[in-house]
């Protein structure tokens, strides 16, 4: 068992109360490319069918709480509230894009009359719409030569290599968009993973039915070895994880008590 101590916490209920928002307005949380954390809020929680979000018309007010983070100290240092405006699309993903914000609904319907839905919008920090478009269509930059039914998780390492994990083989693949190397992580149905900064370890969630658990393995040539379950701790007590987000080697965790923790996984050997 690998114990990982999370040192600092942010009470999300207290944070939401500052901006007069209910914790029930929480939609998603992502670590931005600018290394800030973006919390997406909506008046209406996006509808799900068979466990998946759908882009039904919501006409909901969206907002975000942006967290400043000191990743060296693994703590939140500040927060800002942004009103993102009213939108018809059921957005359920948020990401920074330059100095603006991208909102995205991953499911996209096609209408013969009007073409594909505009499932993406770029807004500025005042909620003004800069652009609306269909995300995912356009020129192919690169294509994997594999039978991929669904890409369950994707990430990049700090050397800008792309990593992806796909169904049905459940292989973890590293690529520089020229050549690939595949590993067997021995985890089925994981929704996310990260590569530590020293590129020696990978951390996966536990897979089907175990997304609140985590496991780590060590890269050894063309294989993974030394599998260990991970236990998240705060003040020596076990944390029951409810939600997480990974970007490169950085992570944000939210436990069942709505406490938020951040962690930069530089090296598992230095924890």
């Amino acid at each position: 068992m690998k114990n990982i101590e999370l040192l600092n916490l942010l009470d999300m209920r207290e944070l939401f109360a500052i901006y007069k928002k209910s914790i029930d307005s929480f939609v998603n949380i992502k670590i931005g490319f600018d290394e800030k954390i973006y919390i997406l809020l909506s008046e209406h929680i996006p509808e799900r069918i068979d466990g998946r979000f759908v882009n039904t018309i919501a006409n909901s007010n969206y907002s975000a709480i942006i967290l400043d983070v000191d990743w060296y100290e693994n703590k939140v240092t500040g927060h800002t509230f942004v009103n993102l405006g009213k939108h018809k699309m059921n957005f359920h993903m948020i990401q920074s894009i330059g100095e603006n914000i991208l909102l995205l609904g991953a499911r996209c319907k096609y209408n013969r009359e009007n073409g594909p839905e505009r499932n993406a919008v770029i807004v500025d920090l005042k909620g003004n719409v800069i652009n609306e478009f269909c995300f995912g269509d356009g020129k192919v930059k690169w294509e994997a030569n594999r039978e991929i039914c669904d890409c369950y998780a994707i990430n990049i390492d700090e050397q800008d290599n792309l990593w992806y994990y796909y169904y049905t083989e459940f292989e973890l693949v590293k690529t520089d968009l020229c050549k690939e190397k595949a590993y067997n992580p021995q985890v089925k149905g994981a929704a996310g993973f990260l590569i530590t900064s020293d590129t020696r370890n990978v951390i996966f969630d536990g897979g089907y039915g175990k997304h609140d658990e985590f496991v780590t393995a060590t890269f050894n040539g063309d294989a993974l070895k030394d599998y260990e379950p991970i236990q998240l701790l705060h003040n020596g007590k076990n944390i029951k994880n409810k939600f997480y987000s990974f970007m490169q080697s950085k992570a944000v965790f939210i436990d069942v008590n709505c406490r938020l923790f951040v962690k930069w996984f530089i090296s598992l050997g230095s924890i």
Side-chain angles (χ1 to χ4, degrees), residues 244-258:
Y244 73 90
S245 181
F246 295 153
M247 171 63 77
Q248 289 188 327
S249 56
K250 297 177 173 66
V252 55
F253 301 100
I254 299 174
D255 74 359
V256 295
N257 296 313
C258 295

Side-chain angles (χ1 to χ4, degrees), residues 193-212:
F193 67 88
L194 67 76
I195 310 297
T196 56
S197 290
D198 62 6
T199 67
R200 293 186 60 189
N201 295 88
V202 60
I203 296 174
F204 270 92
D205 79 29
Y208 290 132
K210 298 180 180 179
H211 295 303
D212 58 344

Side-chain angles (χ1 to χ4, degrees), residues 49-227:
I49 295 179
D50 296 329
R52 294 177 179 270
F53 287 111
V54 294
N55 293 348
T56 53
I57 294 176
N59 210 26
S60 175
N61 281 317
Y62 288 88
S63 56
I65 299 175
I66 305 173
L67 305 180
D68 298 310
V69 181
D70 182 336
W71 290 103
Y72 289 97
E73 297 293 331
N74 292 311
K75 66 180 180 181
V76 175
T77 58
H79 47 82
T80 306
F81 181 83
V82 179
N83 190 337
L84 302 177
K86 199 167 191 175
H87 302 276
K88 293 182 179 180
M89 182 64 65
N90 253 333
F91 296 121
H92 58 272
M93 294 181 66
I94 185 170
Q95 182 56 258
S96 60
I97 181 166
E99 296 180 354
N100 302 309
I101 290 177
L102 169 68
L103 298 176
L104 176 66
R107 315 305 296 183
C108 183
K109 295 179 182 178
Y110 185 86
N111 184 289
R112 288 185 178 181
E113 219 175 283
N114 302 316
E117 286 181 306
R118 295 181 178 182
N119 64 331
V121 63
I122 296 175
V123 297
D124 64 20
L125 297 183
K126 294 183 179 180
N128 299 309
V129 175
I130 297 173
N131 195 10
E132 287 184 281
F133 52 97
C134 177
F135 190 91
D137 290 356
K139 184 178 179 182
V140 176
K141 298 292 186 181
W142 168 80
E143 199 168 19
N145 186 24
R146 295 175 182 272
E147 293 185 7
I148 300 175
C149 295
D150 194 356
C151 186
Y152 273 26
I154 194 167
N155 205 343
I156 56 175
D157 63 27
E158 292 176 12
Q159 287 73 47
D160 290 329
N161 295 300
L162 175 70
W163 296 74
Y164 63 93
Y165 167 82
Y166 68 97
Y167 180 83
T168 60
E169 297 298 325
F170 296 120
E171 287 185 315
L172 175 66
V173 183
K174 172 186 178 182
T175 180
D176 59 5
L177 307 189
C178 294
K179 58 185 182 299
E180 294 187 341
K181 180 179 284 189
Y183 301 88
N184 179 9
Q186 299 182 26
V187 177
K188 293 186 176 182
F193 67 88
L194 67 76
I195 310 297
T196 56
S197 290
D198 62 6
T199 67
R200 293 186 60 189
N201 295 88
V202 60
I203 296 174
F204 270 92
D205 79 29
Y208 290 132
K210 298 180 180 179
H211 295 303
D212 58 344
E213 301 176 10
F214 299 93
V215 63
T216 182
T218 303
F219 291 103
N220 182 28
D222 294 331
L224 287 167
K225 66 171 188 177
D226 300 334
Y227 285 83

